Amino acid sequence: PPWSRERGARPRAGHDAAMDDALQDLLSPEEAAGAFRNEQVSQIMQAYLDENAAPELLPFRGELVAELREQLAGQEEQIAEITEGEGRTVEEVFTASLYQMDIDRVKYALAKYLRVRILKLERVAGLFRADLAPELADAAAELRRKISDEERQFAGELEKLYEAHIDDAVLRHLPEDGPETLRSLGDADICRPPRTDRFVFCRVNETVDGFLAHETAEPATWEEGDVHVAPYAAIKSFVEDGRMSLSAPHFEDPQRPLADAA
């Protein structure tokens, strides 16, 4: 399938090397050359690493996700034709099973990317409140720009459920002016912006001249392939346009206790 590693790349494990050898034996040279190239899989894996390391939600990679889903659907149809058709050979069934393993691996990478975005979105779902404080309007507009239609629907429905729960469990039991007071006090805490001053590890994908890590730093040139530690805010734009990539997870799972995440 088109999402396997490039030929000649170092295998991740022994069974991967065996799979590559088996596939190359079963395919023609031209088919094998095409079966071991797919930049999109590398991109979705890097998108997950970036999302997992960034303290804020990054712009959704909608085009990449759509292309991968289309490829997955097409490859699964081909596998079904091989495994369900009549007169199939043992070699064809064996090849199909190896392709299915690659499909499952890509599905897992795609699911991890989407899951970490949902976990981060849950933290800022308060920005979808109908009666949002005016000072949070810019943050809400920025968030809506970064997420997909499906994520926007999820966040809106989640906030409605949360509001209904709070109204039923707490607010309806308070005096007449109590609910409005609590809502105004809770806006800043529920919709707290992420800390973009945190330091993150980054790899330079394209040489950057005149880079300023902070206001008092001297302009520097970061060469392609360099690895640096810098405040996320200083490299945010480079991460979003692909000139830098993040590594080393920094995102804190909201299900973890705050004491553990500190």
Side-chain angles (χ1 to χ4, degrees):
W3 44 78
S4 298
R5 298 183 313 279
E6 291 189 6
R7 300 183 68 183
R10 178 177 297 178
R12 290 186 298 272
H15 70 275
D16 285 341
M19 180 191 300
D20 294 349
D21 293 340
L23 285 175
Q24 293 187 59
D25 289 340
L26 292 171
L27 299 176
S28 68
E30 293 77 13
E31 291 173 326
F36 287 83
R37 287 198 303 266
N38 192 340
E39 184 181 354
Q40 291 168 329
V41 175
S42 298
Q43 289 177 356
I44 196 64
M45 294 176 71
Q46 185 59 56
Y48 163 72
L49 292 175
D50 289 344
E51 197 69 66
N52 199 41
E56 65 174 355
L57 264 171
L58 298 174
F60 181 63
R61 302 290 300 275
E63 183 176 345
L64 175 61
V65 170
E67 289 177 353
L68 276 176
R69 283 174 169 168
E70 182 178 354
Q71 289 186 23
L72 287 169
Q75 291 295 329
E76 287 182 323
E77 289 180 3
Q78 294 182 21
I79 290 177
E81 292 176 0
I82 294 175
T83 56
E84 298 174 4
E86 297 182 359
R88 58 187 183 275
T89 65
V90 174
E91 289 81 2
E92 288 176 334
V93 174
F94 177 65
T95 303
S97 67
L98 296 181
Y99 282 177
Q100 185 62 54
M101 291 174 63
D102 260 355
I103 288 176
D104 293 341
R105 184 157 50 225
V106 176
K107 281 185 173 180
Y108 179 71
L110 183 58
K112 288 185 69 175
Y113 169 69
L114 297 175
R115 178 180 179 273
V116 74
R117 287 185 59 84
I118 289 297
L119 291 175
K120 296 170 78 171
L121 187 58
E122 288 177 350
R123 287 189 163 188
V124 292
L127 290 173
F128 288 83
R129 285 174 52 171
D131 55 346
L132 190 65
E135 59 269 21
L136 295 173
D138 290 343
E142 177 70 9
L143 177 63
R144 292 176 184 273
R145 180 184 68 82
K146 293 181 176 181
I147 62 179
S148 66
D149 293 339
E150 292 80 4
E151 290 172 335
R152 189 177 298 111
Q153 180 180 359
F154 166 80
E157 292 178 355
L158 177 65
E159 180 57 26
K160 289 179 181 178
L161 290 173
Y162 175 78
E163 288 285 327
H165 170 70
I166 294 299
D167 286 342
D168 183 64
V170 180
L171 299 184
R172 70 186 184 89
H173 301 290
L174 298 178
E176 184 175 349
D177 59 344
E180 194 61 34
T181 302
L182 283 180
R183 289 180 188 278
S184 61
L185 291 175
D187 276 349
D189 185 62
I190 293 176
C191 308
R192 185 181 304 168
R195 288 183 52 192
T196 57
D197 59 339
R198 292 177 173 175
F199 282 77
V200 294
F201 286 88
C202 64
R203 178 181 295 277
V204 182
N205 300 324
E206 181 181 329
T207 299
V208 177
D209 295 319
F211 176 76
L212 292 174
H214 51 83
E215 295 180 355
T216 60
E218 293 291 333
T221 297
W222 284 15
E223 300 287 346
E224 179 180 350
D226 288 350
V227 177
H228 298 273
V229 179
Y232 173 77
I235 65 172
K236 172 182 176 180
S237 61
F238 299 106
V239 173
E240 291 186 355
D241 64 20
R243 283 183 286 175
M244 295 185 188
S245 300
L246 300 180
S247 59
H250 207 124
F251 169 62
E252 299 160 0
D253 191 325
Q255 296 179 352
R256 293 171 51 195
L258 293 179
D260 295 342

